[in-house]
PDB file of all heavy atoms in Angstrom:
ATOM      1  N   GLN A1148      -2.300 -38.465   1.919  1.00 92.00           N
ATOM      2  CA  GLN A1148      -3.418 -38.509   2.791  1.00 92.00           C
ATOM      3  C   GLN A1148      -4.464 -37.465   2.387  1.00 92.00           C
ATOM      4  O   GLN A1148      -5.641 -37.438   2.750  1.00 92.00           O
ATOM      5  CB  GLN A1148      -3.147 -38.347   4.266  1.00 92.00           C
ATOM      6  CG  GLN A1148      -2.199 -39.361   4.830  1.00 92.00           C
ATOM      7  CD  GLN A1148      -2.659 -40.737   4.704  1.00 92.00           C
ATOM      8  OE1 GLN A1148      -3.824 -40.991   5.064  1.00 92.00           O
ATOM      9  NE2 GLN A1148      -1.878 -41.639   4.213  1.00 92.00           N
ATOM     10  N   ILE A1149      -3.972 -36.436   1.622  1.00 95.00           N
ATOM     11  CA  ILE A1149      -4.837 -35.314   1.248  1.00 95.00           C
ATOM     12  C   ILE A1149      -5.969 -35.725   0.315  1.00 95.00           C
ATOM     13  O   ILE A1149      -5.646 -36.439  -0.701  1.00 95.00           O
ATOM     14  CB  ILE A1149      -4.014 -34.160   0.597  1.00 95.00           C
ATOM     15  CG1 ILE A1149      -2.843 -33.717   1.569  1.00 95.00           C
ATOM     16  CG2 ILE A1149      -4.850 -32.987   0.155  1.00 95.00           C
ATOM     17  CD1 ILE A1149      -3.338 -33.166   2.799  1.00 95.00           C
ATOM     18  N   GLU A1150      -7.098 -35.236   0.687  1.00 95.00           N
ATOM     19  CA  GLU A1150      -8.282 -35.716  -0.250  1.00 95.00           C
ATOM     20  C   GLU A1150      -8.810 -34.545  -1.086  1.00 95.00           C
ATOM     21  O   GLU A1150      -9.591 -34.762  -1.999  1.00 95.00           O
ATOM     22  CB  GLU A1150      -9.323 -36.283   0.637  1.00 95.00           C
ATOM     23  CG  GLU A1150      -8.954 -37.611   1.205  1.00 95.00           C
ATOM     24  CD  GLU A1150      -9.955 -38.229   2.123  1.00 95.00           C
ATOM     25  OE1 GLU A1150     -10.944 -38.822   1.584  1.00 95.00           O
ATOM     26  OE2 GLU A1150      -9.888 -38.074   3.359  1.00 95.00           O
ATOM     27  N   ARG A1151      -8.575 -33.351  -0.695  1.00 96.00           N
ATOM     28  CA  ARG A1151      -8.952 -32.196  -1.485  1.00 96.00           C
ATOM     29  C   ARG A1151      -8.120 -30.890  -1.161  1.00 96.00           C
ATOM     30  O   ARG A1151      -7.414 -30.897  -0.135  1.00 96.00           O
ATOM     31  CB  ARG A1151     -10.524 -31.857  -1.251  1.00 96.00           C
ATOM     32  CG  ARG A1151     -10.955 -31.575   0.187  1.00 96.00           C
ATOM     33  CD  ARG A1151     -12.361 -31.286   0.162  1.00 96.00           C
ATOM     34  NE  ARG A1151     -13.175 -32.506  -0.140  1.00 96.00           N
ATOM     35  CZ  ARG A1151     -14.272 -32.507  -0.892  1.00 96.00           C
ATOM     36  NH1 ARG A1151     -14.699 -31.352  -1.446  1.00 96.00           N
ATOM     37  NH2 ARG A1151     -14.951 -33.600  -1.071  1.00 96.00           N
ATOM     38  N   PHE A1195     -13.543 -29.620   4.623  1.00 88.00           N
ATOM     39  CA  PHE A1195     -13.426 -31.021   4.906  1.00 88.00           C
ATOM     40  C   PHE A1195     -12.091 -31.432   5.659  1.00 88.00           C
ATOM     41  O   PHE A1195     -11.124 -30.710   5.394  1.00 88.00           O
ATOM     42  CB  PHE A1195     -13.550 -31.772   3.583  1.00 88.00           C
ATOM     43  CG  PHE A1195     -14.923 -31.757   3.006  1.00 88.00           C
ATOM     44  CD1 PHE A1195     -15.326 -30.779   2.233  1.00 88.00           C
ATOM     45  CD2 PHE A1195     -15.895 -32.858   3.306  1.00 88.00           C
ATOM     46  CE1 PHE A1195     -16.653 -30.672   1.687  1.00 88.00           C
ATOM     47  CE2 PHE A1195     -17.096 -32.805   2.792  1.00 88.00           C
ATOM     48  CZ  PHE A1195     -17.516 -31.753   2.058  1.00 88.00           C
ATOM     49  N   PRO A1196     -12.143 -32.532   6.417  1.00 90.00           N
ATOM     50  CA  PRO A1196     -10.862 -32.975   6.902  1.00 90.00           C
ATOM     51  C   PRO A1196      -9.903 -33.362   5.683  1.00 90.00           C
ATOM     52  O   PRO A1196     -10.456 -33.575   4.593  1.00 90.00           O
ATOM     53  CB  PRO A1196     -11.199 -34.181   7.774  1.00 90.00           C
ATOM     54  CG  PRO A1196     -12.658 -34.371   7.666  1.00 90.00           C
ATOM     55  CD  PRO A1196     -13.298 -33.383   6.715  1.00 90.00           C
ATOM     56  N   ASN A1197      -8.681 -33.484   5.975  1.00 94.00           N
ATOM     57  CA  ASN A1197      -7.772 -33.917   4.917  1.00 94.00           C
ATOM     58  C   ASN A1197      -7.764 -32.945   3.626  1.00 94.00           C
ATOM     59  O   ASN A1197      -7.594 -33.353   2.526  1.00 94.00           O
ATOM     60  CB  ASN A1197      -7.986 -35.312   4.391  1.00 94.00           C
ATOM     61  CG  ASN A1197      -7.737 -36.281   5.533  1.00 94.00           C
ATOM     62  OD1 ASN A1197      -7.037 -36.016   6.452  1.00 94.00           O
ATOM     63  ND2 ASN A1197      -8.414 -37.462   5.488  1.00 94.00           N
ATOM     64  N   THR A1198      -7.982 -31.616   4.064  1.00 96.00           N
ATOM     65  CA  THR A1198      -7.908 -30.629   3.022  1.00 96.00           C
ATOM     66  C   THR A1198      -6.596 -29.987   3.131  1.00 96.00           C
ATOM     67  O   THR A1198      -6.126 -29.655   4.281  1.00 96.00           O
ATOM     68  CB  THR A1198      -9.027 -29.639   3.182  1.00 96.00           C
ATOM     69  OG1 THR A1198     -10.289 -30.204   3.001  1.00 96.00           O
ATOM     70  CG2 THR A1198      -8.899 -28.504   2.164  1.00 96.00           C
TER      71      THR A1198
END
Side-chain angles (χ1 to χ4, degrees):
Q1148 300 304 311
I1149 301 299
E1150 290 178 82
R1151 58 179 69 223
F1195 286 86
N1197 297 335
T1198 297

